[in-house]
Structure formats: C-alpha cells, structure tokens
Amino acid sequence: MIGLKKSLALALSGIALMATSAVADNITVNGANRSMLVYAPSGIERNRPLIIQMHGMNQDAPYQKNAAKWESIADTARFVVVFPNGENKAWDISGDKDVNFLKAIINEMESKYGIDKNRVYVSGFSMGGMMSYHAANKMGDMIAAIAPVSGYPIGNPAPASTRPMPIIHTHGTSDDVVNYSSGVNYLKRWVSFNKCSESSQVTKPYPANRSGSAASLEVWSSCSNDVEVRLMSIAGKGHWYSMDLASVNTSDEIWNFVKNYSLDGSSITPPTPAIVVPTNRDSIFNGGFDSSAVAWDLQLHGDAQAIGDAKDGKYQFNISAIGTQNYQVQLIQHDLHLEKGEWYEISFDASAGAARTLEVNVEQHNDPWESYLTKKQNFELGTDMKTYSFKFQMTAATDTNSRLSFNAGAATGTLTLDNVKMAKLDASQIPVEDSTTALGHIRLEQSGVQDYAVFSMNGAFLGRVKADKAGLYEAAKNLVKRSGMFVVKSDVGVTFRLNVK
C-alpha cells in the first residue's frame, strides 16, 4: 500500500530503542490485546492534556517515540503522551478497529492519570498521519485538534467531522513516499469544511527570525468556532519527522498549536508547579498540612494497620490495629537539620476521638534511629484540639537528616494533628537550669571535668571555668560574682542557661 522506503530502512537498522522513561502498557480492545508506550511526567497532576502519537507503516511505537522526542516538552508543559502500536505495524484507516483502540486509550489514560478528556490531541507520522485524519472524521467529539505529519488519507475521503477541526499539517516538499502537493490539496478540503477564509497568511522563512530556516508556515483563519488550519512546509525535506534545529522542531510546533484548543472552549490551565521540599532545613515543612500531606510519611510496622492523610488543613489518622510498640504507627518528617549544642522547641496541635497517649520523638532517620531526646515525650490527648510543646537540646553531632516522629501505636481510633512547628531557640528562651538541680540534661557520657565558657544574656564573654557537673554551679558563681541569668556552653556543645542566686 505505502512503501515508506526510507522509514522502513531506519526501523530495520535498529535505531528505535525504547527508553526506560516510557512505560509499556496493554489493553484489550474488541477481544484483541493492544500495546502502547506511555510517557507520563513524574508526579503528573490530574486534568492535564493527552497527546496520542502514531507511527508510520512498518514502524512501531518505540521508533516514533525516539523520532519525535516528546519527553522534555511533556515534562515542561505537564501532559501525557501515548505511542500506540498498530496491528502488523499498520493502521485501520477506513474502519473502526483502531478508532476503538484510540477511544480505549483515552479511557485508560483517564483512569490511570486523570487526563482532561476535553484536551485530547491526535497526531501521527505517515500512515499515522492518515489515521489522524480518519480519527477526526470518526471521533471528532473526542478530539480537540489533530496534527498529521507527512500523511493524508488514501482516496481523499471528504471531511466528515462532527465539528470544525483545528489542524496543523507538517510535510516536506521533497517527500517521495507521500506526495507533498497531494497532501496540501487534501488539507485545503478541510479549510473549506471548516469554513475558513479563502485567503491565507504565509510566513517565510518560519520562524521569521530564523533566516536560514527551510520551513514556511501558511495559516487559514476566520474559521468556524475560531479554529485555525495550518500548513508547515519544509523545503527539501523528504519523508521524515523533522527535528531540524535550523528550521523547526515538529513536536514543539505541534504542541504550541494544539494547546490552544479544547472541546469545551476553555483556556488551558497552567500546570501546578511541583512542590519542592527543601532538604537540610531547620524548620518543619507543611506543618499546617495545607499542601496535602507532602513532606510527611506514614509508616506502619509489625501488625499495625492505619490510614492517614491531610484533610481540611489537618492530618487525620484512623488506626484500626496496633502492634506492640508505639512506633509501629508513625508519622514522620525527615531532612531536618539539628545543630550540635543548639536548643529547639517542637510544638503542635492535637486531638483524638477518645482520650489517649501520643508519643513524640526526635531521632536519627536511619538505623539505629537513636533518639536525640533524654527521653521520648508523651502527651495525653483529649477530644478537644490543644497545643502541646517541648524543648530539647541537640547534644549529639550535627545531623542534617534527622526526623520528627509522631508515634501513634498506643491505641486504635482517630487522631488529628495540625500546626506542627520546630523553632531554634535564642539564649533568652533556653530552659533555666536552677542551682537546686543537678544539670540533669547533661548526658552521663559527658560527665567529668570539662571546660565551660560563660556569657551574659546579651552575649558578652565573661570567662571560662573547669568543673565537673556537680561543681559547675559554684565555679560559675565564683566567676561572675553576682546573681542573675547566664549562658553556659561546654566544649562538647552543651548550651544552657544557669540561674545564679
């Protein structure tokens, strides 16, 4: 039917290798197993467009994917691209077999990625271009625009879409497989069908600011329903999918055209920027759960069972089974930067469906998950939302990937969190260490005689003392020789306030 001599030679040469970024998928259509490659940008949002791009005769989906290079465009503009495989490397351009395949693809992509069914665009090269025109005639109510490349239907069937169809047709003037002039004549039938102006506007070279471009653009406007018909001609180009940087990138041109159209006439919604969670941070990210549960990770261990997610600006647990340890139901945020010697305050709002205990820990994010608290904090929650807080000093080595853990494995039922915060404390906020205490926050491994620097509350250095934990108060008192509040820092990074009386 169509030789596609040059394209077939390339396909047989092994150029078309499937990239790992696209996923192979299969669906059953009319009792037959049909295959395709699907490229969806990482974290693709719902209600984004879909482009279906079809290969030429005797080619396949991997070949078309490698020829058209849609990935970077899809990543930037946020849409899904499907490269279907025709049966026996061809398309049914007169019947319903592949029309039904395209319809099944649209439904499958809606199910998997929540694509916007008002923004489905069909494109293809050579016989795939012929199939694009066939789809426009058979399923115009499901396709917002088409973009055939180097292909038009055999037999010149009359346009029969249920609506005016936006079209961008790209063709090389030296195509020796699918005749360029015949393709242009067929496109003009759609110009008439869409009731466009008989006159056209030509830009040559195209783009106008690229003097060496071999491409020209002819545009028919003033069509019904405000659609346009465009012809992208590339002088001297044969039967190829043009990606010539000196002229035009066909995929770029297709996207920049089709993105202007939707079945419901709405403007395209700009993609929601991906939320980037900063690492090595000294504050809680999304502590108000305003951006869903991003940056938070619910972990279950042992036999514990629970679900949780952000809802109405709060994080809500529903715990149906507990294990043997509190940590077997954990809500975690890691990538927290804790600086040795610094003091921090953790605060949060919490309530529960019934009175219960909630354990909170600050710890290593990796094995052995050592706690940075002298003891894990336990809070008694009630049914009313209340604010809870505690202060601690980071006495271990600086950790740039520590974590805050809410350990909720003590009881089943519901639990709600909100307004989670972590703040570094200044000298005036450090807990007071009174002369009646034994400086209990200093760990046992830090006992023995050490050097301590003593400062006033405004940061003035007052001197150094040598003392063990039991003798530090008297040593500091002898140094400052007055009552008041002072800041003491040890040579191993312990910082606290000392109340000298």
Side-chain angles (χ1 to χ4, degrees), residues 228-248:
E228 274 188 357
V229 175
R230 294 188 174 192
L231 171 63
M232 184 79 61
S233 302
I234 309 175
K237 182 67 66 175
H239 196 64
W240 307 99
Y241 192 98
S242 176
M243 302 295 284
D244 185 358
L245 297 181
S247 297
V248 293

Side-chain angles (χ1 to χ4, degrees), residues 42-118:
S42 177
I44 185 70
E45 304 81 6
R46 294 183 62 84
N47 295 315
R48 301 306 302 162
L50 166 67
I51 289 181
I52 302 174
Q53 250 238 335
M54 295 170 286
H55 59 76
M57 185 178 180
N58 292 327
Q59 297 170 350
D60 56 16
Y63 181 89
Q64 186 60 27
K65 174 185 172 296
N66 286 344
K69 297 177 173 53
W70 277 99
E71 291 87 345
S72 62
I73 305 170
D75 284 340
T76 300
R78 310 296 290 173
F79 59 84
V80 177
V81 190
V82 172
F83 304 91
N85 278 306
E87 285 190 331
N88 300 315
K89 298 189 175 182
W91 298 104
D92 178 8
I93 57 175
S94 60
D96 290 334
K97 180 179 67 175
D98 286 326
V99 167
N100 292 335
F101 184 22
L102 297 184
K103 290 178 179 179
I105 289 172
I106 294 169
N107 291 331
E108 178 79 354
M109 294 304 103
E110 182 189 33
S111 175
K112 287 193 172 182
Y113 301 105
I115 59 105
D116 182 355
K117 293 181 77 172
N118 287 313

Side-chain angles (χ1 to χ4, degrees), residues 339-344 393-398 430 441-442 446 450-453 464 488-496:
E339 193 77 26
K340 180 178 180 179
E342 296 290 343
W343 279 85
Y344 299 87
Q393 185 180 36
M394 180 63 171
T395 56
T398 296
I430 296 173
H441 61 277
I442 301 179
Q446 296 169 345
Q450 296 182 48
D451 283 322
Y452 293 91
R464 302 184 70 86
V488 178
K489 295 182 180 180
S490 78
D491 58 355
V492 293
V494 177
T495 304
F496 52 92

